């Protein structure tokens, strides 16, 4: 089995991981209920997306059951 000849330096590991940083999600506020929501995502509070209802509210579903 092939075995590494030398130990990798800390700098080599660090430079490899230089591109591994995570970026935070882009957040916007819902135009209907002003909740903070990630972009391109249905608002979990009111179920609106692109100015219309696309998902029933959580409270309505719980009441129906
Ligand atoms: Zn909303």
């Amino acid at each position: 089995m092939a075995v590494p000849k030398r130990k990798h330096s800390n700098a080599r590991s660090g430079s490899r991981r230089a591109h591994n940083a995570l970026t935070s999600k882009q957040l916007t506020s819902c135009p209907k209920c002003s909740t903070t929501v990630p972009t391109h995502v249905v608002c979990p509070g009111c179920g609106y997306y692109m100015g219309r209802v696309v998902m029933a509210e959580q409270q309505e579903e719980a009441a129906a059951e």
Side-chain angles (χ1 to χ4, degrees), residues 9-23:
S9 66
N10 293 333
R12 189 184 170 101
S13 301
S15 56
R16 182 177 63 240
R17 293 169 187 163
H19 302 280
N20 291 0
L22 299 175
T23 55

Side-chain angles (χ1 to χ4, degrees), residues 30 32-35 37 43 45-48:
C30 174
K32 187 156 191 300
C33 67
S34 304
T35 308
V37 185
C43 175
C46 62
Y48 267 67

Side-chain angles (χ1 to χ4, degrees), residues 3-54:
V3 175
K5 190 168 189 178
R6 296 192 200 291
K7 173 191 173 178
H8 273 190
S9 66
N10 293 333
R12 189 184 170 101
S13 301
S15 56
R16 182 177 63 240
R17 293 169 187 163
H19 302 280
N20 291 0
L22 299 175
T23 55
S24 58
K25 281 191 174 179
Q26 181 92 34
L27 294 177
T28 184
S29 63
C30 174
K32 187 156 191 300
C33 67
S34 304
T35 308
T36 306
V37 185
T39 53
H40 309 106
V41 167
V42 177
C43 175
C46 62
Y48 267 67
Y49 183 70
M50 298 289 286
R52 65 189 183 90
V53 181
V54 293

